[in-house]
Amino acid sequence: MNVENSEALLLIPNGFPVWIDVAQASIGGAGTAMRFVLPLHTHNLPLMHRQQTKLVVALKGVLDIRAGRKRIALLQEGEAIKLDPGIAHRIHQYGTVASTVGAVLWPGAVEQAFRELAVAALQKAYQRSDMIEILARYDVVWTTQSHEHDPESITIRPFRDWLSDLPEALARLLALRWGG
């Protein structure tokens, strides 16, 4: 991976960083790409994007993608799935090594929510309800239940095979940064 110019954000006080590998501003708001490491036996926040499509990529290790208690995908390193708006999901580390998650979202509005969370994390005084409120302003819901789509139709493909589904500027930068 060629990501030496990435920007690190902390979304939770004393939490693990999220790196912005493609900032929405760098490609006219067409999308954003970020990555984070899930240590052993951890998972991210339970989210549903109402307006954005999300590509989840196993950049390193194995990822167990769940909607509630139901597994919707088990991604091996180099594989990815596309989650349409309305699919609730939580990403779990799986296996015996930490996993690196790549998350590509388009359009890129959710990046601003993460930037607001990073500012709040620096103040160290925000609550879970504050996080939920910030995310909601960007049409991201804290939930484990999908409301609009059936996750059964999700297809696992190599990351490079998804590049043609992305906005062109985003795909071009990700091919350089994450390989493709």
Side-chain angles (χ1 to χ4, degrees):
M1 267 189 288
N2 178 17
V3 291
E4 55 275 340
N5 293 327
S6 298
E7 177 184 8
L9 301 177
L10 255 162
L11 307 184
I12 300 169
N14 304 316
F16 50 85
V18 171
W19 290 275
I20 305 294
D21 289 336
V22 178
Q24 66 189 37
S26 71
I27 55 171
T32 189
M34 55 196 76
R35 68 186 150 84
F36 55 94
V37 175
L38 287 175
L40 293 177
H41 313 294
T42 61
H43 54 78
N44 76 330
L45 308 173
L47 301 175
M48 179 182 68
H49 302 270
R50 290 183 186 216
Q51 303 296 322
Q52 294 182 304
T53 301
K54 182 176 189 176
L55 192 68
V56 178
V57 184
L59 294 171
K60 182 178 177 185
V62 180
L63 303 175
D64 180 11
I65 316 302
R66 297 187 165 268
R69 295 177 185 259
K70 183 177 183 179
R71 174 181 287 162
I72 57 176
L74 186 64
L75 300 179
Q76 303 298 318
E77 192 167 312
E79 293 180 330
I81 58 168
K82 183 170 83 170
L83 300 173
D84 291 325
I87 297 178
H89 59 283
R90 179 178 261 184
I91 305 168
H92 294 256
Q93 178 277 334
Y94 188 86
T96 59
V97 298
S99 300
T100 302
V101 178
V104 184
L105 297 119
W106 66 100
V110 80
E111 180 185 322
Q112 188 56 38
F114 287 168
R115 291 184 181 284
E116 285 187 33
L117 289 170
V119 168
L122 288 174
Q123 296 168 358
K124 299 186 191 280
Y126 84 109
Q127 306 280 324
R128 175 180 162 175
S129 60
D130 298 324
M131 177 180 276
I132 291 169
E133 181 183 319
I134 290 170
L135 291 169
R137 287 199 301 263
Y138 295 90
D139 282 329
V140 180
V141 180
W142 183 302
T143 185
T144 58
Q145 300 300 312
S146 293
H147 301 289
E148 301 171 18
H149 297 282
D150 179 15
E152 293 289 326
S153 62
I154 292 174
T155 303
I156 298 172
R157 295 176 14 200
F159 165 62
R160 69 183 168 280
D161 290 356
W162 288 108
L163 290 174
S164 63
D165 287 37
L166 301 176
E168 186 178 333
L170 183 56
R172 190 171 44 253
L173 285 174
L174 279 177
L176 292 171
R177 295 206 169 102
W178 292 355

